Amino acid sequence: MRLDKSNYHLLIFVSAVLLFIPFLGVVHLFDWDEINFAESAREMLLTGNYGRVQINFEPFWEKPPLFFWMQCISMKLFGINEFASRFPNAICGVITLLTFYFLGKRHKNEKFGFVWALCYLGSFLPHFYFKSGIIDPWFNYFIFISIWLIHQSFGQKEKSVKFRYVLLGGIASGLAVLIKGPVALLIVTMTVVAFYLMTKRKTGVELKYIFTFLISAFAISFLWFGFELFKNGPWFLKEFVLYQIDLFLHPVAGHQEPIYYHFLVVFIGCFPLSIFALPKIYNKSSDHHDEMTRWMKTLFWVVMILFTIVKTKIVHYSSLSYFPLSFLAATYLYELLDFRVKFNKVLFILFIFIGTIFSLIFIALPLLANHKEFIIPFIKDPFAIDCLNANVTWSGWEPLIGVLYFSLIIYVIISFKKTPSLSRLMTMFYANALFIFFYLIAVVPKIEAYSQGPAISFYQSMRGAEAYVYPYGFKSYAQYFYFQKPDHGNANATNMQWLLHGAIDRDVYLVAKSTAKNELDTIRELSFLKKDGGFLFYMRLKPDTTKP
């Protein structure tokens, strides 16, 4: 098939399907978020209660249910497993890239749309999130669509068309609220207000359009919030709102990072599109006649500033910024391909530097894991040392992936700097996308085997057992999903003191970190089973009631 502008969308579709969907289940879900969300979907299927989100069969007020409904549909199709948990985001990836293409085509032409989709496909975190089971890809997509629709409404003179854009923008925001909560409306509102302030617009927005947007957004979100309120009263919604406020004002344990955290994550994690977006982020000269660029810059800064202020800092909180950042990168690259601008030497140096750092990491991870005797003397954490001593088999060729990656990106960026062309740009981003694809298959499962692998394997081995299976001394959701915990209906089952010393009605199995051995060995009711990597496994048998 000859690649011309009429085939760009087909190439994007095929690339997204082949790179996002295969091997989604090759590595276990990661604690906490991936397993947390998958478990909520599993419990919906098990209980048949699709109206309320649960964890451990108890109300879970942190998230609305729309994403879990998607996972439920996927699990009905593919079973309760990693592939099904991540499949909704893979579909989101396909839709997102096609959206970029068609919006880019509308904004400029087919070539721009293709470059925009290409940037997103071939950058690290944007690509990786579509192969995950977290909630953010769909949340980000609906917010982005809402803002794009609002942007389109601003330029419409015909009232019926303007009304339609505003109505659809409200619906998209309402869907985002059903994914993750009211923060969606906060982001959209802040972006619109900031756009007005930054562009110093004198004309206001008519109240009827504001009401149209709000009513449509609330109508969609009310499909669940209203149902929950009428069915179960205000308690659940009250806890939901209080949790969102607390998350904003106070850091969650383990997620209190420095103020520059999100800027560093986005710059490093979105390589290489983040490099190419830099000239457009700080350049105001190109904004005067391009409303879309203004909107994208506004959205970028709103997201970055908002989540810099938020006390809890988690990597994916700033992932919405990837959308406008990819647009800005595509704009610069499009101008570069049309020879309107020259390749900035600073960008070339940054590309080489960041690419080299990534290459060294990709080479070092499997190399050091296969020769851990060289790094163990420098590690002070006993648990980390025990994890590294897990029995993981390496082929020995895995570091060559990193070597090949380094050679390819250096060659591509040098040739691209010399003569920018679409074919070389495609080589650059496809090389990155293919590297992510193969590294996730060949290396990440083995790295994961050191961290949570032994615990998850134990949980899986206990499926179907009439037992209580819990972690001791650390928080995890893995025991619920991988043990496929049934609803015991026993309030004591979450009480660790009862599990250790109470009148248990089932056998108890505990998973602990290796550093807890001295503490657990003093509990006479427990019997030590085994040690695997950094984890210890203990058992407490229920009393034999048949004996006199």
Side-chain angles (χ1 to χ4, degrees):
M1 182 175 64
R2 180 173 173 267
L3 180 62
D4 56 34
K5 63 182 182 181
S6 65
N7 294 323
Y8 285 156
H9 64 290
L10 294 177
L11 180 58
I12 291 166
F13 174 76
V14 172
S15 299
V17 168
L18 293 180
L19 289 170
F20 292 150
I21 296 178
F23 302 104
L24 279 176
V26 75
V27 63
H28 294 128
L29 300 173
F30 284 94
D31 239 352
W32 292 348
D33 285 357
E34 273 201 306
I35 300 180
N36 182 341
F37 301 151
E39 174 59 17
S40 290
R42 186 188 75 87
E43 291 185 17
M44 279 186 176
L45 291 174
L46 194 64
T47 62
N49 184 357
Y50 297 95
R52 174 172 286 187
V53 184
Q54 301 177 88
I55 283 288
N56 194 25
F57 304 98
E58 297 176 352
F60 179 68
W61 50 74
E62 293 185 18
K63 299 290 185 293
L66 182 53
F67 181 71
F68 309 121
W69 293 343
M70 295 180 186
Q71 288 187 311
C72 283
I73 294 171
S74 183
M75 288 179 181
K76 282 183 176 292
L77 291 173
F78 304 111
I80 298 174
N81 52 50
E82 294 88 351
F83 182 93
S85 301
R86 292 169 175 149
F87 184 72
N89 281 346
I91 296 302
C92 183
V94 177
I95 293 173
T96 298
L97 295 191
L98 288 173
T99 299
F100 286 167
Y101 170 74
F102 287 110
L103 295 189
K105 177 183 176 181
R106 177 169 177 159
H107 178 64
K108 289 187 186 293
N109 53 40
E110 294 90 345
K111 183 179 178 181
F112 178 81
F114 180 66
V115 171
W116 188 3
L118 199 61
C119 287
Y120 216 86
L121 175 70
S123 296
F124 282 109
L125 283 179
H127 181 111
F128 175 74
Y129 275 15
F130 292 135
K131 298 175 77 70
S132 76
I134 65 173
I135 212 165
D136 296 80
W138 279 106
F139 175 72
N140 296 337
Y141 179 79
F142 286 129
I143 291 180
F144 171 78
I145 289 299
S146 180
I147 290 172
W148 183 83
L149 289 165
I150 294 170
H151 150 61
Q152 288 295 307
S153 73
F154 273 46
Q156 301 298 327
K157 294 182 179 180
E158 189 176 336
K159 290 186 177 181
S160 62
V161 177
K162 189 182 188 74
F163 175 82
R164 185 166 65 248
Y165 277 120
V166 171
L167 178 68
L168 292 173
I171 291 173
S173 285
L175 290 170
V177 170
L178 286 180
I179 291 284
K180 203 173 182 180
V183 69
L185 280 177
L186 175 65
I187 294 172
V188 173
T189 303
M190 288 179 65
T191 302
V192 173
V193 171
F195 178 80
Y196 258 79
L197 294 176
M198 291 173 66
T199 55
K200 300 178 181 179
R201 286 190 173 240
K202 296 180 181 180
T203 57
V205 179
E206 295 180 53
L207 285 177
K208 64 180 179 180
Y209 294 117
I210 296 176
F211 284 131
T212 298
F213 175 84
L214 292 176
I215 289 171
S216 59
F218 281 116
I220 294 298
S221 57
F222 198 75
L223 293 174
W224 175 72
F225 283 100
F227 171 80
E228 173 62 32
L229 183 63
F230 288 131
K231 182 180 180 183
N232 301 305
W235 171 80
F236 186 87
L237 293 182
K238 177 185 174 183
E239 294 297 330
F240 175 83
V241 173
L242 290 176
Y243 173 80
Q244 304 299 321
I245 295 172
D246 186 66
L247 199 64
F248 185 88
L249 297 176
H250 304 100
V252 173
H255 295 295
Q256 188 173 10
E257 305 293 347
I259 194 169
Y260 56 82
Y261 175 77
H262 284 299
F263 288 93
L264 187 63
V265 165
V266 171
F267 178 68
I268 301 296
C270 289
F271 178 84
L273 77 79
S274 56
I275 302 293
F276 299 118
L278 287 176
K280 291 298 176 181
I281 290 176
Y282 300 105
N283 181 11
K284 295 182 179 180
S285 61
S286 63
D287 297 357
H288 299 307
H289 304 291
D290 190 350
E291 291 265 293
M292 184 67 170
T293 300
R294 290 182 178 185
W295 278 102
M296 291 299 97
K297 282 190 177 182
T298 305
L299 176 58
F300 174 79
W301 286 112
V302 164
V303 172
M304 296 306 293
I305 292 171
L306 174 64
F307 290 107
T308 295
I309 295 171
V310 171
K311 296 297 183 181
T312 301
K313 291 180 170 58
I314 301 175
V315 172
H316 45 263
Y317 277 14
S318 56
S319 58
L320 176 56
S321 68
Y322 307 166
F323 281 62
L325 199 68
S326 63
F327 173 86
L328 297 174
T331 302
Y332 174 75
L333 288 169
Y334 178 79
E335 293 175 357
L336 197 64
L337 293 176
D338 278 5
F339 301 102
R340 300 180 195 176
V341 296
K342 292 184 178 180
F343 197 172
N344 192 308
K345 291 182 180 179
V346 175
L347 300 186
F348 176 75
I349 294 170
L350 281 173
F351 189 101
I352 295 290
F353 177 73
I354 302 298
T356 301
I357 296 298
F358 270 119
S359 300
L360 291 175
I361 293 172
F362 298 144
I363 294 169
L365 278 176
L367 196 63
L368 292 175
N370 206 18
H371 299 281
K372 47 187 176 260
E373 64 274 10
F374 292 113
I375 59 172
I376 285 179
F378 301 97
I379 300 175
K380 305 301 180 184
D381 184 356
F383 173 66
I385 293 173
D386 286 334
C387 285
L388 281 173
N389 283 322
N391 185 23
V392 179
T393 303
W394 292 84
S395 302
W397 56 266
E398 291 87 355
L400 295 178
I401 301 176
V403 174
L404 179 62
Y405 175 75
F406 175 77
S407 304
L408 190 57
I409 63 165
I410 296 300
Y411 168 76
V412 168
I413 196 62
I414 291 174
S415 60
F416 183 75
K417 181 179 182 298
K418 184 178 180 181
T419 310
S421 68
L422 184 58
S423 61
R424 286 171 177 168
L425 191 68
M426 289 174 61
T427 303
M428 179 193 305
F429 283 110
Y430 273 111
N432 228 47
L434 287 169
F435 167 78
I436 299 168
F437 182 83
F438 287 113
Y439 206 79
L440 286 173
I441 296 172
V443 177
V444 173
K446 295 173 183 176
I447 298 296
E448 184 260 346
Y450 290 107
S451 58
Q452 59 179 19
I456 287 179
S457 295
F458 181 78
Y459 297 139
Q460 289 175 317
S461 71
M462 294 299 300
R463 283 182 185 174
E466 291 288 322
Y468 299 115
V469 183
Y470 280 100
Y472 176 89
F474 66 98
K475 184 176 179 179
S476 174
Y477 295 99
Q479 71 278 5
Y480 304 135
F481 186 79
Y482 283 103
F483 171 48
Q484 295 199 356
K485 177 184 178 294
D487 185 4
H488 298 306
N490 187 341
N492 288 319
T494 57
N495 186 329
M496 186 55 65
Q497 288 303 309
W498 182 80
L499 293 172
L500 291 173
H501 307 292
I504 56 175
D505 56 345
R506 299 183 180 203
D507 296 340
V508 173
Y509 293 86
L510 298 180
V511 178
K513 294 182 178 181
S514 57
T515 48
K517 188 175 191 325
N518 291 339
E519 179 183 348
L520 290 173
D521 283 348
T522 62
I523 301 174
R524 59 183 181 83
E525 290 91 342
L526 294 178
S527 300
F528 176 71
L529 292 177
K530 64 175 181 176
K531 179 177 182 293
D532 188 354
F535 294 92
L536 305 172
F537 303 91
Y538 286 81
M539 176 181 67
R540 182 191 174 199
L541 296 177
K542 69 176 181 179
D544 188 352
T545 56
T546 61
K547 293 182 179 180

